[in-house]
Amino acid sequence: MASRGRILKYLAAALLAAFCLAFARTDTTEKSMVRAILLEPGEEEWTVGLLYQAPEASADSSEASDGIGFAVAQGTGLERALDNAASLLPLEANFRLCDYLLLMPGGNWQTLSSYESLVLARQCGRTSAQLAACDFTCQELSEATEEGEDLLTSLLQTLKRSKRALPRLYETRTDEGLLMPCLTMEETTLSVKPEGWFVSTDSSEEWDAQKTAVYGLLTGQGDTFTFWLGEHPLTLRRPLLGVEKTKDGSFAVHLDCQTAADSAEPTDTDLARLGDLCTQLVQERWSAGQDLIGLGACAALRDGQNAWLSPAKNACPQLRTDVAIY
């Protein structure tokens, strides 16, 4: 009897494994796995592009691989354009592995908010998707794809290498603005521009390379940050930010960094200038309604909740940023 019981247990385990395998195949390999969504609003119609992984190309992997396709369609609204693009896929669209959302020319804060609302209503994507901008259109990407067979795989790989610099869709709920890396395309070659693309509730604009690097240094958004403060580039990495409220009510901001292996060694003048650039950006963002480095929380932690500072209610406090190399 004991032997028969063991046989039944093994049989039950085998049946369960077979069921799970069948379910997994149904949920992934028998559907077109959308890996990235491209949003391009227009005056009359939206354009939506879908980077998808063909069912036969290891679609259940989070790694970029061959078998990537691109479908692009238009519609009178976001939802209709998305449905039209999804209808072009070989099989039913599955958004479980949709890791990236790309904002095309013409996109803005409202574009991101509209898409997030659609995701929450229809589960046609992920609110944790990472964001990037592009200076090319869906049509230009589609045409370049015909000439470069590996372009779409390269696009996913470029996004993966930039993951530390990519904000997430749910961060739009703060209404404070987001800085996104911007992808550019020359013929069939993709790269990330040194300039970033900043979007907020009332603006959508390109930031120059230096301002983009300062923002990344203060927020830790990225891997390395390059500045031209003299004749040679200064490249910093691994920033450690500390904020301290002093007795006179001002703030001391401490930024400790490492220099990259191929970077010039900074002088005291370089570090002082970089500190001034950091202070200026914090003040600029405060005036725009964004507490970039948490000054308000620092004040409340030191002096109690009633001491909380807000860009909406308070003028930017006095601060100084000191940059050091460790």
Side-chain angles (χ1 to χ4, degrees):
M1 293 294 293
S3 177
R4 182 178 180 183
R6 284 196 297 271
I7 293 175
L8 290 175
K9 288 181 180 179
Y10 294 149
L11 180 59
L15 290 174
L16 179 60
F19 173 79
C20 291
L21 179 61
F23 177 80
R25 288 185 60 82
T26 300
D27 189 48
T28 57
T29 58
E30 293 184 5
K31 294 184 179 180
S32 296
M33 307 302 294
V34 178
R35 304 300 306 280
I37 296 179
L38 291 71
L39 300 181
E40 186 181 334
E43 294 183 2
E44 298 182 357
E45 290 188 317
W46 281 68
T47 302
V48 171
L50 301 179
L51 261 70
Y52 66 93
Q53 201 158 13
E56 64 272 13
S58 303
D60 196 34
S61 171
S62 60
E63 303 291 331
S65 64
D66 293 335
I68 304 296
F70 183 54
V72 58
Q74 293 181 318
T76 52
L78 169 59
E79 187 170 7
R80 181 166 296 182
L82 180 62
D83 285 347
N84 290 344
S87 69
L88 300 177
L89 304 187
L91 296 170
E92 180 184 351
N94 185 300
F95 295 88
R96 185 171 62 83
L97 298 179
C98 184
D99 294 326
Y100 305 106
L101 178 66
L102 305 185
L103 195 64
M104 314 306 284
N108 53 28
W109 190 266
Q110 185 58 45
T111 305
L112 300 176
S113 298
S114 298
Y115 174 70
E116 185 187 25
S117 298
L118 188 60
V119 169
L120 294 174
R122 290 187 43 188
Q123 300 299 307
C124 54
R126 300 167 60 192
T127 58
S128 62
Q130 293 186 282
L131 308 177
C134 299
D135 67 0
F136 48 86
T137 66
C138 289
Q139 183 61 36
E140 289 170 341
L141 177 61
S142 180
E143 293 173 355
T145 299
E146 297 176 0
E147 300 178 11
E149 296 181 357
D150 299 327
L151 182 61
L152 299 178
T153 298
S154 175
L155 175 57
L156 287 178
Q157 291 173 340
T158 300
L159 290 168
K160 183 181 177 183
R161 288 193 298 268
S162 305
K163 286 183 69 172
R164 286 178 57 86
L166 303 180
R168 295 186 182 274
L169 178 60
Y170 58 69
E171 294 179 49
T172 56
R173 300 171 194 171
T174 64
D175 288 336
E176 292 184 343
L178 294 172
L179 180 65
M180 298 180 287
C182 186
L183 276 61
T184 188
M185 180 173 59
E186 295 184 9
E187 296 182 351
T188 58
T189 302
L190 287 163
S191 61
V192 179
K193 299 172 65 174
E195 299 81 10
W197 191 257
F198 189 83
V199 293
S200 64
T201 54
D202 56 3
S203 68
S204 181
E205 59 184 346
E206 185 177 73
W207 279 8
D208 63 40
Q210 184 160 269
K211 188 174 180 179
T212 298
V214 171
Y215 187 99
L217 193 67
L218 287 168
T219 60
Q221 187 176 313
D223 292 305
T224 60
F225 314 93
T226 300
F227 306 90
W228 284 88
L229 304 174
E231 296 181 358
H232 305 287
L234 169 63
T235 302
L236 302 177
R237 62 180 190 139
R238 297 184 179 178
L240 299 175
L241 181 74
V243 181
E244 175 187 4
K245 186 180 181 183
T246 62
K247 293 182 179 180
D248 64 3
S250 64
F251 286 83
V253 181
H254 306 286
L255 193 56
D256 296 322
C257 311
Q258 289 183 355
T259 53
D262 57 349
S263 172
E265 286 299 319
T267 65
D268 291 342
T269 301
D270 292 337
L271 296 179
R273 185 181 174 193
L274 182 55
D276 290 341
L277 291 173
C278 291
T279 297
Q280 291 168 16
L281 184 59
V282 172
Q283 293 170 335
E284 176 188 316
R285 293 312 308 154
W286 186 280
S287 298
Q290 181 181 13
D291 184 0
L292 186 61
I293 57 175
L295 298 179
C298 178
L301 184 64
R302 182 182 185 277
D303 299 325
Q305 193 66 25
N306 291 334
W308 188 286
L309 299 174
S310 168
K313 299 179 180 179
N314 307 104
C316 184
Q318 294 294 316
L319 69 143
R320 172 187 174 85
T321 305
D322 295 315
V323 183
I325 303 299
Y326 67 92

